[in-house]
């Protein structure tokens, strides 16, 4: 599988070189190609290189589609995931927040749930427990909707399990067991 990603990077880079000779630098195809290359580099665990492509892609998509577009928001989510892999929690959270605030992610997309999940973790680490609780709850609602509507494979169930686990930890820290209300 990794070999296919290597081949993809080479193919996309060739396409990019060809496009550069025939199109203006601000053509929208460049943003799409940059995103594809970034995704393949991410899969190859070449995160620093991937980040460069994702940053270029987000700027180009912002220019062509605006921030309320799913293409833009998905590029921001991929950039945020790259920041996570590079250990830059602050930029990752800023990017996930930007993706959510852009309005470009459909309300029923797993990626929107992922963004809320990561924000929940960020808020938790900053001792912002109410915001963390809210973010995890939003993520769970989105994940459950996706699961109920057949929009997710079993490979992704760990995301919702992590959210429930963190909610249990938050409940224990905030007010005791979940079953005790009042």
């Amino acid at each position: 599988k990794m070999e296919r990603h290597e081949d993809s990077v080479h193919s996309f880079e060739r396409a990019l070189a060809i496009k550069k000779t025939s199109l203006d630098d601000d053509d929208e195809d460049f943003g799409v190609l940059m995103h594809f290359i970034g995704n393949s580099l991410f899969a190859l665990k070449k995160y620093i290189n991937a980040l460069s492509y994702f940053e270029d892609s987000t700027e180009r998509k912002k220019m062509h589609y605006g921030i309320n577009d799913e293409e833009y928001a998905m590029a921001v989510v991929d950039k945020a995931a790259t920041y996570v892999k590079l250990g830059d929690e602050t930029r990752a959270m800023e990017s996930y927040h930007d993706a959510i605030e852009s309005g470009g992610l459909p309300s029923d997309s797993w990626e929107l749930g992922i963004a809320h999940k990561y924000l929940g973790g960020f808020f938790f680490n900053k001792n912002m427990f109410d915001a963390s609780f809210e973010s995890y709850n939003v993520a769970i609602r989105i994940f459950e909707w996706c699961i109920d509507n057949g929009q997710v494979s079993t490979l992704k169930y760990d995301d919702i399990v992590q959210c429930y686990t963190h909610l249990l930890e938050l409940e224990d820290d905030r007010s005791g067991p979940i079953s005790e209300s009042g």
Side-chain angles (χ1 to χ4, degrees), residues 20-129:
K20 283 182 178 179
T21 64
S22 60
L23 297 173
D24 291 333
D25 186 54
D26 65 348
D27 190 87
E28 73 180 276
D29 286 351
F30 287 115
V32 173
L33 282 171
M34 297 289 190
H35 197 164
F36 288 155
I37 294 169
N39 281 330
S40 289
L41 290 169
F42 184 92
L44 292 167
K45 299 181 180 174
K46 296 180 179 181
Y47 303 121
I48 292 172
N49 294 341
L51 180 60
S52 173
Y53 282 97
F54 287 141
E55 287 174 338
D56 193 326
S57 176
T58 56
E59 288 308 309
R60 291 172 183 274
K61 288 181 176 187
K62 182 178 181 179
M63 179 178 65
H64 284 284
Y65 307 124
I67 64 168
N68 296 336
D69 187 82
E70 185 175 2
E71 286 289 325
Y72 167 77
M74 289 303 301
V76 175
V77 165
D78 289 339
K79 182 171 75 169
T82 307
Y83 281 130
V84 168
K85 292 293 187 180
L86 291 171
D88 190 339
E89 182 182 79
T90 302
R91 285 189 176 161
M93 294 314 110
E94 288 170 356
S95 295
Y96 279 123
H97 185 265
D98 289 349
I100 291 167
E101 292 298 311
S102 76
L105 292 172
S107 61
D108 60 357
S109 73
W110 195 264
E111 290 77 13
L112 182 59
I114 293 291
H116 281 285
K117 178 187 121 178
Y118 278 106
L119 279 178
F122 176 76
F123 292 140
F124 184 85
N125 291 336
K126 300 291 183 190
N127 295 323
M128 300 169 66
F129 299 122

Side-chain angles (χ1 to χ4, degrees), residues 159-177:
D159 290 318
I160 194 168
V161 169
Q162 289 170 8
C163 286
Y164 276 121
T165 301
H166 292 298
L167 278 178
L168 288 171
E169 292 170 7
L170 281 167
E171 282 297 324
D172 286 343
D173 290 342
R174 290 170 67 203
S175 62

